[in-house]
């Protein structure tokens, strides 16, 4: 993927007054899923993202590919069944990025084993042919064997069940590459600034601003899809200033610790915290991630900040279940995400995780809500609507069996390069140069060749892109990421043809941002 070529294509199409079938605004899981689906059906698709692909919520999730045990408790059986099917398809189509994970629900009261045991049997049942493994009751000893760091006092036993886990930002990058492999044109750092209308007032294109060159771009399109997550209503109001709010924003934070806080390869699941939510402590990229909270917000922002009470809540809840209670000083990173929830009555934690598709009077098609796990199904639904609305000619949806870029069945032997799947070979070749084989920080496995690869093949443009999403350094260890900023800036500057002043400004900007990921 080369940004200059993508921008050139956009420019040429506007010049020729040759409309795209679909223009997508927003490069998170929802928008990128739509781009993959549309391109794989043979449609002509352009996607613009205001920042880096995945900069929004889609890089800030709990990293679970799941049906959602909590939604089962809420009685939303259709959502759970649909998500369990999607979970199976995600693992099937991206085995290099999605894998099984065992979760243990510890039991400290007599009623918990039958209650959660039966609930999780139902979860197995709903997965049907897409099952990841059979849940079962564990003795006290078996529970501690799986979770050696679990508080043993008054522990009676546990229930083990299976779900999926992934690297969200990396899957997003591979979705972008899949869309590009099928002919989609994708541009990052290119916010939509307005909508184009025909003589009758129907939306037939997007105005956008190229942040790198300052150029104003126009993207004529038969259908415009608004997939901007928590920013959905701001785009809807470009079409209709009086449009009612459809999305409410709820903030969730995660704390990242050293893996020693959660020994073993099993995740801990606390089904009911003091505020009635679920808390997970999961092993991820050699660390332990604990989350999440659900705090309603009035307005969305791009870099939401953790609240002190959210940090305290996670530390306090995790401490009740772990033999070594984590403190603020143990937090290696904190990251914050904003859920785009479909507006309804009641607490945000009780709002539906279903998606909605909305077509307004001007023909703008909006898709929002849902969750990462259901991105493929959401995209299929959205493109079906776009085809009907725009009378587009397209092949049937092929994404049930569409392999995601990098598809590799047995990638475990690739070690830390596993997430690249079949692209790992190209990174190893780059690392044949000893200067690029160097590890960038002793606490994290990332090597210089990954930076070069991110710039050459994955459209990384800034130090933050590389450290936050193309590698996950910022999300795993903020201090280590700060220490890596300078060498990363130097490597990127060489790849992108930038000078020393650019590199210095990048380091400064990144270090200021990274402060927000530290807990002091
Ligand atoms: C704390 C938390 C934990 C979660 N955990 C899970 C989980 O474990 N599993 C799961 O399945 N789901 C999970 N989810 C849900 C999932 O992450 C979201 O449903 C999903 O990422 C939303 O994707 P999106 O593309 O709709 O939004 P986003 O990822 O936010 O993408 C929207 C994009 O639109 C861009 N944009 C905005 N305005 C413009 C503009 N004018 N022009 C161009 N681009 C624009 C933004 O920059 C952004 O990148 C979690 C969510 C949260 C908040």
């Amino acid at each position: 993927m080369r940004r200059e070529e993508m921008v050139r294509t956009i420019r040429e199409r506007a010049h020729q007054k040759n409309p795209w079938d679909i223009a997508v605004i927003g490069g998170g899981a929802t928008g990128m899923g739509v781009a993959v689906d549309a391109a794989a059906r043979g449609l002509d698709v352009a996607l613009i993202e205001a920042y880096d692909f995945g900069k929004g919520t889609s890089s800030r999730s709990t990293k679970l590919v799941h049906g959602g045990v909590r939604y089962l408790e809420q009685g939303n059986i259709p959502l759970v069944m649909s998500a369990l099917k999607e979970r199976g398809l995600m693992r099937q189509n991206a085995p290099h990025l999605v894998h099984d994970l065992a979760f243990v629900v510890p039991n400290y009261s007599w009623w918990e084993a039958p209650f959660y045991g039966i609930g999780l049997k139902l979860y197995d049942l709903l997965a049907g042919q897409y099952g990841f493994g059979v849940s079962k009751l564990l003795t006290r000893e078996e529970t501690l064997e799986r979770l050696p760091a679990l508080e043993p006092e008054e522990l009676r036993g546990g229930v083990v069940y299976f779900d999926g886990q992934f690297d969200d930002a990396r899957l997003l990058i591979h979705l972008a590459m899949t869309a590009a492999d099928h002919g989609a044109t994708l541009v990052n750092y290119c916010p939509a600034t307005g909508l184009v209308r025909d003589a009758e007032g129907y939306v037939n294109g997007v105005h956008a601003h190229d942040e790198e060159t300052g150029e104003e771009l126009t993207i004529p399109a038969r259908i415009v899809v608004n997939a901007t997550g928590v920013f959905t209503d701001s785009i809807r109001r470009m079409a209709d200033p009086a449009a009612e709010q459809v999305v409410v924003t709820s903030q969730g934070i995660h704390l990242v610790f050293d893996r020693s806080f959660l020994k073993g390869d099993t995740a801990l699941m606390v089904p009911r915290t003091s505020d009635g939510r679920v808390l997970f402590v999961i092993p991820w990229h050699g660390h332990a991630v604990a989350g999440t909270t659900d705090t309603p917000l009035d307005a969305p922002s791009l870099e939401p900040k953790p609240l002190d009470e959210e940090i305290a809540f996670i530390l306090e809840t995790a401490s009740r279940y772990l033999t070594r209670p984590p403190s603020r000083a143990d937090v290696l990173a904190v990251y914050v995400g904003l859920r785009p929830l479909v507006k309804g009555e009641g607490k945000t934690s009780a709002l539906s995780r279903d998606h909605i598709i909305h077509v307004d009077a001007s023909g703008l098609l909006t898709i929002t809500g849902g969750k990462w796990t259901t991105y493929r199904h959401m995209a299929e639904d959205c493109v079906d609507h776009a085809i009907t609305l725009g009378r587009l000619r397209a092949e049937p949806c092929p994404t049930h069996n569409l392999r995601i870029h990098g598809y590799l069945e047995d990638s475990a032997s690739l070690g830390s390069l596993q997430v690249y799947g079949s692209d790992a070979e190209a990174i190893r070749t780059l690392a044949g140069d000893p200067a690029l084989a160097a590890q960038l920080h002793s606490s994290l496995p990332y090597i210089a060749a990954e930076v070069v690869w991110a710039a050459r093949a994955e459209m990384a443009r800034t130090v933050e892109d590389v450290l936050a999403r193309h590698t996950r350094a910022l999300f795993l260890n903020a201090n280590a990421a700060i220490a890596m900023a300078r060498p990363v800036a130097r490597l990127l500057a060489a790849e992108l043809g930038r000078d020393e002043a650019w590199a210095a400004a990048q380091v400064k900007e990144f270090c200021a941002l990274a402060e927000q990921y530290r807990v002091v």
Side-chain angles (χ1 to χ4, degrees), residues 75 84 102 104 129 179-180 198 266 378 385 417 488 504 511:
L84 285 170
V104 165
Q129 65 181 108
D198 67 12
T266 300
M378 292 166 66
H385 276 77
L417 296 183
V488 168
C511 292

Side-chain angles (χ1 to χ4, degrees), residues 3-4 188-189 209-215 461-462 498:
R3 191 176 185 281
E4 301 75 21
N188 51 6
Y189 294 98
H209 179 79
D210 181 346
E211 294 283 357
E212 292 204 353
T213 61
E215 188 180 350
R461 311 299 295 174
T462 69
R498 306 283 194 163

Side-chain angles (χ1 to χ4, degrees), residues 163-185:
D163 246 326
Q165 187 187 35
F166 74 141
D167 180 331
D168 48 10
R170 180 102 324 254
L171 179 57
L172 201 276
I173 293 163
H174 286 235
L175 286 178
M177 294 167 102
T178 309
D181 292 344
H182 285 84
T185 297

Side-chain angles (χ1 to χ4, degrees), residues 108 140 150-156:
Y108 290 92
R140 185 178 186 279
L150 187 68
E151 175 56 57
E153 212 179 304
E154 293 184 37
L155 180 75
R156 288 167 168 261

Side-chain angles (χ1 to χ4, degrees), residues 140-353:
R140 185 178 186 279
E141 289 65 38
E142 286 168 335
T143 304
L144 289 171
E145 214 169 280
R146 280 191 175 269
L147 284 176
L150 187 68
E151 175 56 57
E153 212 179 304
E154 293 184 37
L155 180 75
R156 288 167 168 261
V159 188
V160 62
Y161 74 98
F162 299 86
D163 246 326
Q165 187 187 35
F166 74 141
D167 180 331
D168 48 10
R170 180 102 324 254
L171 179 57
L172 201 276
I173 293 163
H174 286 235
L175 286 178
M177 294 167 102
T178 309
D181 292 344
H182 285 84
T185 297
L186 319 164
V187 184
N188 51 6
Y189 294 98
C190 191
T193 50
L195 299 172
V196 186
R197 291 165 186 273
D198 67 12
E200 275 123 58
Y202 287 109
V203 169
N204 67 352
V206 185
H207 292 298
H209 179 79
D210 181 346
E211 294 283 357
E212 292 204 353
T213 61
E215 188 180 350
E216 302 302 330
L217 299 168
T218 301
I219 306 166
R222 295 187 173 86
I223 296 293
V224 174
V225 172
N226 169 17
T228 50
V230 290
F231 300 97
T232 292
D233 288 317
S234 63
I235 303 292
R236 290 184 68 240
R237 284 174 188 148
M238 286 181 184
D240 172 9
E244 276 197 23
Q245 183 187 352
V246 294
V247 167
V248 289
T249 303
S250 155
Q251 168 162 310
I253 77 154
H254 293 84
L255 303 181
V256 181
F257 304 101
D258 186 273
R259 181 65 168 272
S260 58
F261 283 91
L262 182 76
K263 300 177 188 120
D265 294 322
T266 300
L268 163 67
M269 196 270 210
V270 178
R272 189 164 283 276
T273 57
S274 57
D275 72 346
R277 285 191 46 80
V278 169
L279 186 101
F280 292 100
V281 185
I282 57 170
W284 190 61
H285 288 330
H287 292 70
V289 178
T292 178
T293 51
D294 201 325
T295 312
L297 287 194
D298 289 337
S301 69
L302 197 66
E303 274 296 345
K305 296 186 177 51
L307 303 176
D308 270 347
E309 52 266 36
E310 290 181 299
I311 296 173
F313 175 77
I314 292 184
L315 288 175
E316 200 253 319
T317 311
S319 298
R320 278 197 222 158
Y321 291 88
L322 300 176
T323 41
R324 198 171 131 218
S327 70
R328 287 177 76 94
D330 297 312
V331 179
L332 298 175
V334 53
Y335 66 87
V336 187
L338 299 182
R339 294 179 192 85
L341 298 176
V342 178
K343 199 165 182 277
E345 299 296 320
K347 276 174 71 171
T348 48
S349 59
L351 289 184
S352 169
R353 266 54 176 173

